[in-house]
Every structure is written in C-alpha cells, then in structure tokens.
Amino acid sequence: MTATTDHAVDMPAFVDHSHLNVIDLPMVSSFYQKVMGLSVLDTSASGETLGVGGRPLLTLTTGSNAARAPRTAPGLFHTAFLVPNRKELGRWLAHAAHNNVPLTGASDHLVSEAIYLDDPEGNGIEIYRDRDRSEWTYVPDGGVKMATNRLDLQALYDEAPKDGWTGQENGTVIGHIHLQVSDIPEADAFFRDVLGLDIMATYPGASFFSTGKYHHHVAANVWNSRGRPKRQDGMTGLSDYTLRFNDKAKLDAAVAKLDELAIPTTRSGDTVSLVDPWGIGLKFSA
C-alpha cells in the first residue's frame, strides 16, 4: 500500500471509498476532475467512479428521485482526501489559488494540516497531509491530542512548487470520512461498541474514531444535525462509504456483533452492507 505502516490505509481498518448521490452529475464530476484532480476510472448508466493512480476513491451517481438534502440532515460533513506530503498539499493550494477556487477554511490540527472547501452541490471536502507520527502527542487514555489552530496558507503557498499541477499524486487516498449524525452517545455506541473502532479524541458535539491509533478514520458530529431524523431515499450527499479491513479478524468481530444485535445486513461475495442508525449506507470488505 504505502512505504510506512503508520499510514491511514495500512491500519487494521480504513475508509476505502465514498459514494455521493448528486443532482447534476456532469457538473459535479467535472469539479472533482478539474479542481480535486481525480480521474474517471469507470462509467455506468447512472454514474462514474473517480480515483487516483487507478485506485477508486469516489463514486458519483444520480437518479430521477435525487433531491437536495437539507444542510441539517445526517450524512456527510466532509470526505477527506489525504495527499502524500506537505509539498503536494502546497501544490494543490497553488492550483486552487490560481484558479480562484473558493475555500471554506484551513486548520492546523497538530496531527495534520488541512484545507476545506465544498463541491458545487455543497458536499464538504477536506484535503490534508499528515504529520509524521513522531510529531503526534498521545494522551494517557490512549487518544491523540488534536486542535483547530490557524494554518498559515501564505507560507504553505510560498513553499509550494509552481511547476504546474496536473492532478493528485499517486498515493492520494481517502484518509477519513466525517459524518453528520443525530446523537453522539449513539455514534459512540455504534462505532466503538459495535464496529470495534477506538475513540481517539472528543470535541464538544463530536467524536473521532480509528483503528491502529491513527488520529481518525471516521468522525461524527451533531453541530448541524443534532436530533434530526434519518436520511430519506433520494437525498443528495453521502449514499454510502466503505470500510476495508486489513485485519479479517476485526471484520469478523464486527459482523458477529451486528448479527448478535440483529442489525440487518446484506451480503454479496466478500462485502457486507448495512444502513447505519442515521440512514447512511455502510459497506465492509476485506
């Protein structure tokens, strides 16, 4: 996968793929190609799959019943694309600046440096690079210290090569996915107690979950969506996402827990699919 076993996708489980339901497929696909630097890998009657270096990362589909989800609906807060290093993050920033791409924020999270924006239909995006784990601070309860500090975008831009940007560098992956949910205790119970992920950090109204002591593979917050009802069929935004397990024992344990709790699943080959408590699709694969 990567040169280091500390990488997000080398952990026992990681987010492999995100699937968005959209209204204007050509417009959204063009954005992910031109702005985010993904390439179309596959097309179907209802959508497209895009990725980097032949690795599928994002599927976009549409349908006749697609309807814009309210900002308060459970679903996607952002899909987070992890680039290989700070130089690549800077190269993307220069590309965004030269093409007047509007940003919604930028933060130094101590473990990472992140830039935020939205796609044309309001789906949140993070593009980030991880600091080396030797620079992370783990706390006594086993979690990791994170913060939301100002990121010096000017310095990042000034350091970046200005040699032209032709897309994301091979090795770019989905590092994590951040969800809007209705209730944090329910999210803790689902991701920690059912799926077996560790809680690595908490903020007011948010929890961060991972495997392998990564800072987070999945986050959940209620900042816009506290107490809101489940997603409805046809809503735009996050249709489903995939957790891929490098550790099959961890996958088997999660599936056994789902069965024990009588949470409905469907199985196709090696893939187990379910709908989470907020109406978001979730797939497991090994």
Side-chain angles (χ1 to χ4, degrees):
M1 288 268 190
T2 61
T4 170
T5 56
D6 287 340
H7 195 276
V9 302
D10 292 325
M11 298 301 96
F14 63 97
V15 177
D16 189 44
H17 194 263
S18 179
H19 172 197
L20 303 181
N21 185 37
V22 302
I23 294 173
D24 189 332
L25 178 65
M27 177 179 68
V28 178
S29 177
S30 176
F31 172 89
Y32 281 99
Q33 293 174 64
K34 293 177 180 176
V35 173
M36 296 308 301
L38 308 186
S39 300
V40 176
L41 303 180
D42 192 29
T43 59
S44 68
S46 61
E48 298 178 345
T49 295
L50 301 96
V52 176
R55 182 188 185 111
L57 299 178
L58 179 69
T59 293
L60 305 172
T61 56
T62 191
S64 59
N65 67 335
R68 184 65 66 92
R71 183 71 183 92
T72 56
L76 185 70
F77 192 66
H78 58 243
T79 302
F81 296 95
L82 172 60
V83 298
N85 50 52
R86 180 177 165 91
K87 182 180 82 170
E88 289 305 316
L89 185 63
R91 287 183 70 237
W92 181 84
L93 176 62
H95 156 72
H98 298 163
N99 288 278
N100 298 311
V101 175
L103 306 179
T104 59
S107 296
D108 181 339
H109 293 304
L110 304 182
V111 294
S112 63
E113 295 179 312
I115 301 170
Y116 299 93
L117 66 159
D118 290 338
D119 77 13
E121 294 193 359
N123 296 297
I125 298 168
E126 175 182 338
I127 180 167
Y128 76 109
R129 71 97 180 183
D130 276 334
R131 286 193 167 92
D132 190 271
R133 282 209 196 190
S134 65
E135 300 177 63
W136 300 7
T137 300
Y138 287 95
V139 294
D141 68 2
V144 67
K145 187 176 180 181
M146 294 196 288
T148 302
N149 298 331
R150 177 179 171 273
L151 177 62
D152 188 341
L153 286 176
Q154 188 63 54
L156 184 62
Y157 175 86
D158 290 344
E159 293 171 23
K162 311 298 190 299
D163 52 1
W165 187 83
T166 57
Q168 297 293 353
E169 185 75 9
N170 285 357
T172 298
V173 299
I174 293 180
H176 64 268
I177 197 159
H178 195 146
L179 308 175
Q180 297 194 157
V181 301
S182 307
D183 182 76
I184 290 299
E186 186 178 37
D188 291 348
F190 181 72
F191 289 108
R192 177 190 59 201
D193 303 335
V194 178
L195 303 189
L197 307 186
D198 297 320
I199 296 182
M200 295 302 294
T202 59
Y203 285 3
S207 290
F208 298 79
F209 310 92
S210 84
T211 65
K213 298 300 182 182
Y214 188 62
H215 53 74
H216 64 297
H217 289 105
V218 179
N221 77 62
V222 295
W223 300 328
N224 300 309
S225 53
R226 185 188 302 272
R228 300 298 298 175
K230 283 185 177 184
R231 291 178 60 78
Q232 300 300 306
D233 288 346
M235 275 187 177
T236 57
L238 186 62
S239 175
D240 61 74
Y241 63 102
T242 301
L243 279 177
R244 186 173 295 276
F245 287 78
N246 291 316
D247 181 346
K248 189 172 185 303
K250 200 165 184 70
L251 169 61
D252 292 343
V255 173
K257 191 68 174 179
L258 291 165
D259 291 344
E260 176 190 327
L261 296 172
I263 295 173
T265 60
T266 58
R267 310 190 187 195
S268 175
D270 294 332
T271 301
V272 179
S273 303
L274 66 144
V275 177
D276 76 12
W278 312 283
I280 304 165
L282 174 56
K283 297 179 178 179
F284 297 157
S285 62

